[in-house]
């Protein structure tokens, strides 16, 4: 038996990804890991009158990049629900 025969695998759980993404976003994030892929569902507040589309596009790209880098998983989807337009509660985009 060689060393490579006894190596295990690293499993990144939904909970771990949820915590990582939540820390990155500063708000509520759900995560579903399937194999080496992850889907994220995030809640976001946007400061009015900033562009919702611009804010969500930026957060989506940043969150996907950072979660992939930190977990080694492929982020295949990031759904964002804008919960308010006043910046209160969740992450504030200025």
């Amino acid at each position: 038996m060689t060393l490579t025969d006894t190596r295990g695998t690293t499993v990144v759980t939904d909970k771990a990804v949820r915590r990582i993404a939540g820390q990155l976003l500063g708000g509520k994030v759900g995560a579903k890991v399937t194999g080496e892929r992850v889907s994220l569902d995030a809640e976001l507040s946007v400061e009015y009158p900033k562009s919702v589309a611009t804010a969500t596009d930026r957060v989506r790209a940043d969150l996907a990049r950072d979660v992939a880098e930190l977990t080694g998983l492929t982020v295949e989807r990031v759904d964002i629900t804008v919960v308010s337009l006043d910046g209160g509660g969740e992450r504030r985009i200025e």
Side-chain angles (χ1 to χ4, degrees):
M1 182 184 300
T2 66
L3 181 59
T4 57
D5 293 335
T6 61
R7 288 185 185 177
T9 59
T10 301
V11 176
V12 182
T13 65
D14 295 352
K15 183 178 179 180
V17 175
R18 247 191 333 268
R19 285 182 147 180
I20 290 167
Q23 287 293 318
L24 290 168
L25 185 64
K28 185 176 177 185
V29 180
K32 177 64 179 161
V33 177
T34 306
E36 297 293 318
R37 299 185 176 282
V38 64
S39 297
L40 302 171
D41 294 298
E43 291 186 0
L44 182 70
S45 293
V46 179
E47 182 182 339
Y48 182 81
K50 303 294 182 185
S51 167
V52 171
T54 300
T56 55
D57 287 348
R58 188 175 87 221
V59 169
R60 185 176 288 111
D62 290 350
L63 194 57
R65 180 195 63 234
D66 294 345
V67 167
E69 183 178 309
L70 291 169
T71 64
L73 300 172
T74 300
V75 178
E76 64 180 11
R77 182 178 58 86
V78 179
D79 290 335
I80 297 176
T81 301
V82 176
V83 294
S84 74
L85 294 176
D86 63 4
E90 309 304 320
R91 181 176 177 195
R92 185 176 180 160
I93 303 299
E94 299 180 3

